[in-house]
């Protein structure tokens, strides 16, 4: 494997050139299939064992305080309900800007994640705060719509001001082996993320690991998405029974590491769904540090898709700063 | 089969959230009878066990406080039935722990069961003596009703390990509160066995959580805990009680101070009323 040169972010123009060097594996359906099926199989026992071992690290006192603040700053504070109202989105934005009104040293979250029709509301509410607006798109969460509909959905969210787009892949196409279709779709959505001024919204690609059935599939779809130009890869929608788990997130972190080593392109990771406690969040941070290194320990390259996690982090933060256990009465109910 | 059986010793465990965990700290301490002979090892609960217990109690509060008073009464009566079935065991544990004769211990256990039944009867009646239809100068009904305070931390009496425990615990949960109980340090066994009774009495998990250990170690964390709404300091000595009351002031907990108690006396409604709030509503008269 040739040396990839200095690491470049997935959204930089250089990344496109680097990916062009891998063009041979994405030249045809057959080549792509050969490449994805040529990836080494996943040692499931080893993977789960490694994830469990990394979960046993004891992170206390100052390290814990650092981890809590880091985790808060990495949250994509999410509301994806049919019952979302502009008022609820505004309230969530206010919480994102100032998570703990009793302690102004609390960092703000990384982004607010909403449905496309709420992007405008969120954008206005977050004006000047530096917090990004992330929008799910492409017929989230099922992804069962025609490509033009998905692209219109994406373009609409970008036009409304979304800084980040969370797309879902077509799991049906992937599971029936139509890899090229999935690849082309991601490329088309990435193109739809472009703004008229030449910049582009960052693209997160959601796999829905719970529907992919095997670890091998997760490794394949990780590579497929990164080859197609994903800026972030994301575990799940949060709408199915199995969401982010430590093993499948570790697997994706390893894919990102291997992709960096092969191409020199840096891609972010976002576990989403089912991460509710500070303890869980810290386990993920340990995994990131041990697998990818400190370079990924920033909101630019690692995010948590979560809603209730923030309250637990705030309660733990209050415990550390006051010495008293806090309770749900001291944080907002979303 | 003439050879003697191997002894089957009981592992006493905490009762938290309807389950029987060991202490998170892994610690135990030796429980002895009044003469100093070893009886059993009891878990020595830690700060984190207390934290977990409060989380469990908070989780159970909505369901328990929302249950009808009649239903709570039925469940409390059921607990008394289960206690009656385990009478022998409690008599033995009380006799050993408190150094009482068998007949005196039996009288104590009977009194405890009777007290439980007595409090079971109060669940749907306390509202009638503590609530009221208030006269007001306007076309309104003005109604005061009782509401449970929330999660109550209870430091159970140190001397009376069973009758005293029942006397402080039953009134707390009868009115719809949930409880985190720190047992008598010297003789925790009846309290830990009570957990086994509660687990088989239709009482939802988390309504009562039993921690054995040192009141002086666990108490400060419960007293300072922002998610605990009230604390009963009966089992604390004077010095500890003062410190805990100070810590409890931070989030304005209701505090029940320790006082001289005669557990065999008629209890009255004091303890039922100690952990109740009054909600008053104004309702227009529709004429």
């Amino acid at each position: 494997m040739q040396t990839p040169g200095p690491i470049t972010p997935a959204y930089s123009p250089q990344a496109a050139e680097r990916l062009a060097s891998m063009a041979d594996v994405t030249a045809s359906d057959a080549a792509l299939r050969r490449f994805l099926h040529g990836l080494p199989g996943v040692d499931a026992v080893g993977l789960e064992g490694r994830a469990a071992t990394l979960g046993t690290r004891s992170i206390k006192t100052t390290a814990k305080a650092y981890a809590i603040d880091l985790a808060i700053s990495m949250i994509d504070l999410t509301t994806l309900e049919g019952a979302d109202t502009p008022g609820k989105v505004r309230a969530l934005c206010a919480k994102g800007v100032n998570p703990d009104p009793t302690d102004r040293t609390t960092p703000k979250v990384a982004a607010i994640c909403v449905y496309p029709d709420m992007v405008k509301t969120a954008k206005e509410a977050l004006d000047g705060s530096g917090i990004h607006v992330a929008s799910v798109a492409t017929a989230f969460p099922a992804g069962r719509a025609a490509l033009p509909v998905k692209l219109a959905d994406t373009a609409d969210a970008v036009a409304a001001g979304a800084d980040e787009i969370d797309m879902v892949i077509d799991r049906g196409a992937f599971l029936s082996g139509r890899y090229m279709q999935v690849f082309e779709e991601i490329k088309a959505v990435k193109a739809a993320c472009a703004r008229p001024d030449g910049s582009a919204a960052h693209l997160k690609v959601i796999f829905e690991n719970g529907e992919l059935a095997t670890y091998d599939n997760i490794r394949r779809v990780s590579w497929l998405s990164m080859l197609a130009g994903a800026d972030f890869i994301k575990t799940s929608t949060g709408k199915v029974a199995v969401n982010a788990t430590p093993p499948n997130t570790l697997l994706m972190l390893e894919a990102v590491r291997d992709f960096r080593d092969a191409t020199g392109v840096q891609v972010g990771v976002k576990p989403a769904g089912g991460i509710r406690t500070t303890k869980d969040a810290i386990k993920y941070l340990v995994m990131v540090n041990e697998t990818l290194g400190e370079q990924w320990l920033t909101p630019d390259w690692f995010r948590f898709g979560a809603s209730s996690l923030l309250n637990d982090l705030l309660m733990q933060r209050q415990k550390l700063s006051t010495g008293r256990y806090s309770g749900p009465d001291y944080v907002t109910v979303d | 089969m003439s050879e003697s059986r191997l002894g089957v010793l009981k592992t006493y465990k905490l009762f938290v959230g309807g389950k029987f965990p060991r202490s998170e700290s892994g610690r135990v301490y030796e429980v002895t009878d009044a003469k100093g002979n070893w009886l059993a090892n009891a878990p020595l609960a830690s700060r984190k066990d207390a934290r977990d217990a409060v989380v469990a109690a908070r989780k159970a509060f909505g369901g328990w406080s929302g249950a009808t008073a009649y239903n709570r009464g039925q469940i409390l009566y059921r607990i008394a039935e289960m206690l009656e079935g385990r009478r022998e065991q409690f008599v033995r544990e009380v006799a050993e722990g408190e150094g009482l004769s068998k007949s005196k211990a039996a009288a104590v256990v009977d009194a405890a069961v009777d007290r439980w039944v007595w409090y079971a009867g109060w669940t749907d009646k306390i509202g009638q003596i503590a609530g009221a239809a208030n006269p007001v100068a306007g076309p309104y009904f003005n109604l005061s009703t009782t509401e449970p305070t929330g999660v109550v931390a209870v430091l159970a009496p140190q001397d009376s390990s069973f009758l005293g425990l029942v006397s402080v615990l039953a009134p707390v949960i009868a009115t719809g509160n949930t409880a985190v109980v720190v047992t008598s340090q010297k003789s925790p066994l009846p309290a830990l066995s009570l957990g086994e009774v509660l687990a088989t009495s239709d009482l939802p998990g988390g309504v009562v959580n039993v921690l054995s250990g040192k009141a002086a170690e666990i108490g400060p964390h419960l007293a300072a805990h922002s998610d605990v709404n009230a604390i009963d300091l009966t089992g604390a000595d004077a010095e500890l009680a003062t410190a805990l009351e100070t810590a409890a002031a931070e989030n304005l907990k209701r505090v029940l101070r320790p006082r001289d108690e005669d557990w065999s006396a008629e209890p009255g409604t004091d303890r039922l009323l100690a952990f109740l709030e009054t909600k008053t509503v104004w309702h227009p008269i529709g004429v």
Side-chain angles (χ1 to χ4, degrees):
Chain A
M1 206 169 278
Q2 79 261 30
T3 341
I7 308 289
T8 183
Y11 48 80
S12 69
Q14 292 81 1
E17 291 166 26
R18 299 280 177 78
L19 291 181
S21 72
M22 301 283 283
D24 51 334
V25 305
T26 56
S28 70
D29 207 355
L32 184 58
R33 175 186 315 278
R34 223 169 19 249
F35 175 77
L36 293 178
H37 284 263
L39 290 168
V42 178
D43 168 8
V45 175
L47 178 72
E48 285 165 10
R50 174 78 175 146
T53 311
L54 290 176
T56 61
R57 295 280 172 86
S58 177
I59 309 290
K60 300 288 181 204
T61 62
T62 49
K64 185 174 180 183
Y66 175 79
I68 287 173
D69 280 5
L70 184 61
I72 292 173
S73 73
M74 286 174 164
I75 287 183
D76 279 6
L77 195 57
T78 302
T79 181
L80 296 170
E81 302 295 335
D84 283 349
T85 59
K88 187 180 174 196
V89 170
R90 275 194 290 270
L92 199 72
C93 291
K95 183 172 187 180
V97 175
N98 192 3
D100 185 352
T102 64
D103 184 352
R104 297 282 172 149
T105 61
T106 313
K108 56 186 198 264
V109 302
I112 302 292
C113 185
V114 292
Y115 273 118
D117 62 331
M118 292 293 169
V119 168
K120 198 157 173 287
T121 310
K123 195 73 190 168
E124 283 162 9
L126 292 170
D127 189 36
S129 67
I131 297 178
H132 288 185
V133 176
S135 169
V136 296
T138 71
F140 181 93
R144 297 253 67 84
L147 184 58
V149 177
K150 293 182 180 180
L151 297 180
D153 196 14
T154 308
D156 199 42
V158 174
D163 303 288
E164 301 168 3
I165 296 293
D166 289 29
M167 71 167 288
V168 288
I169 64 160
D170 183 343
R171 280 88 74 188
F174 180 83
L175 290 171
S176 42
R178 285 177 275 133
Y179 298 143
M180 202 43 137
Q181 184 186 335
V182 179
F183 179 83
E184 294 294 352
E185 199 168 289
I186 296 172
K187 283 193 87 159
V189 174
K190 173 126 181 168
C193 288
R195 300 194 191 95
D197 67 358
S199 64
H202 290 185
L203 179 65
K204 305 197 196 98
V205 179
I206 307 173
F207 299 164
E208 199 66 294
N209 288 338
E211 292 182 351
L212 293 182
T214 67
Y215 286 133
D216 285 347
N217 277 343
I218 296 174
R219 176 170 284 175
R220 285 174 194 144
V221 76
S222 299
W223 276 86
L224 183 150
S225 310
M226 290 187 285
L227 287 168
D231 298 315
F232 252 85
I233 57 178
K234 174 172 165 185
T235 58
S236 35
T237 60
K239 300 286 184 195
V240 297
V242 178
N243 292 298
T245 65
N248 66 36
T249 308
L250 178 60
L251 181 56
M252 287 163 62
L253 292 167
E254 287 174 350
V256 166
R257 178 195 62 197
D258 296 344
F259 189 75
R260 171 197 65 188
D261 293 347
T263 64
V265 174
Q266 181 169 18
V267 175
V269 180
K270 174 176 170 185
I275 306 168
R276 295 201 177 83
T277 64
T278 302
K279 207 176 242 182
D280 287 344
I282 291 177
K283 284 178 188 171
Y284 281 91
L285 293 179
V286 169
M287 274 195 321
V288 173
N289 191 49
E290 294 298 314
T291 313
L292 289 164
E294 236 174 289
Q295 212 186 336
W296 262 260
L297 282 180
T298 86
D300 291 339
W301 297 108
F302 192 75
R303 296 279 180 84
F304 291 107
S307 40
S308 56
L309 171 64
L310 180 57
N311 278 350
D312 196 65
L313 286 164
L314 293 177
M315 286 191 278
Q316 292 286 332
R317 200 174 187 280
Q318 289 167 358
K319 162 74 172 75
L320 285 181
S321 60
T322 64
R324 294 186 306 275
Y325 283 116
S326 184
D329 287 353
Y330 300 86
V331 289
T332 60
V333 182
D334 308 301
Chain B
M1 298 296 283
S2 60
E3 63 265 54
S4 59
R5 288 180 63 223
L6 270 177
V8 180
L9 295 178
K10 179 166 162 185
T11 308
Y12 284 89
K13 299 207 255 179
L14 305 174
F15 181 54
V16 174
K19 296 198 165 59
F20 295 95
R22 292 180 164 82
S23 169
E24 162 278 338
S25 61
R27 302 177 304 176
V28 295
Y29 69 104
E30 293 193 349
V31 178
T32 58
D33 66 14
K35 296 194 190 80
N37 303 312
W38 180 83
L39 287 175
N41 285 349
L44 184 57
S46 68
R47 163 174 77 83
K48 292 192 177 176
D49 293 316
R51 173 199 64 186
D52 294 346
V54 172
V55 170
R58 174 58 62 196
K59 204 170 159 199
F61 179 71
W64 183 243
S65 60
T68 61
Y70 172 75
N71 183 230
R72 283 203 300 271
Q74 293 285 302
I75 291 173
L76 292 191
Y77 190 78
R78 174 95 180 146
I79 294 170
E81 291 172 9
M82 295 289 133
L83 284 173
E84 191 69 27
R86 292 237 205 172
R87 190 166 172 277
E88 302 279 295
Q89 180 192 352
F90 283 105
V91 168
R92 177 168 43 78
E93 285 174 347
V94 169
E96 288 172 347
E98 298 181 19
L100 301 177
S101 70
K102 191 126 193 215
S103 59
K104 277 199 178 135
V108 166
V109 172
D110 289 346
V113 176
D114 292 349
R115 185 143 306 164
W116 204 286
V117 172
W118 192 76
Y119 277 117
W122 269 111
T123 54
D124 54 0
K125 298 172 189 72
I126 191 70
Q128 288 142 48
I129 64 157
N134 311 309
V136 289
Y140 297 97
F141 288 124
N142 185 271
L143 303 172
S144 293
T145 50
T146 55
E147 302 244 309
T149 298
V151 174
V152 181
V154 179
L155 306 186
Q158 300 294 337
D159 49 351
S160 181
S161 63
F162 191 56
L163 178 57
L165 171 80
V166 168
S167 304
V168 295
L169 175 62
V172 168
I173 62 171
T175 51
N177 298 295
T178 55
V180 176
V181 186
V182 181
T183 68
S184 159
Q185 184 186 340
K186 182 169 63 74
S187 38
L189 303 188
L192 295 172
S193 294
L194 177 67
E196 293 158 20
V197 169
L198 300 175
T200 52
S201 308
D202 299 333
L203 189 76
V207 172
V208 174
N209 304 278
V210 182
L211 305 174
S212 57
K214 300 173 187 156
E217 182 192 354
I218 309 168
H221 296 288
L222 289 172
H225 200 308
S226 296
D227 205 25
V228 172
N229 303 99
I231 186 164
D232 175 352
L233 298 173
T234 303
D237 57 37
E239 193 187 342
L240 178 63
T242 309
L244 295 189
E245 192 168 347
T246 310
E250 183 66 37
N251 75 333
L252 307 179
K253 280 184 190 64
R254 290 203 178 278
V255 173
L256 189 63
R257 291 180 177 146
R259 54 191 180 190
D260 286 333
E261 303 270 7
D262 174 9
W263 300 116
S264 59
E266 194 69 25
T269 52
D270 284 7
R271 285 182 172 274
L272 284 164
L273 299 173
F275 302 113
L276 280 179
E277 308 296 323
T278 303
K279 178 175 79 177
T280 298
V281 293
W282 296 67
H283 194 288
I285 296 173
V287 284

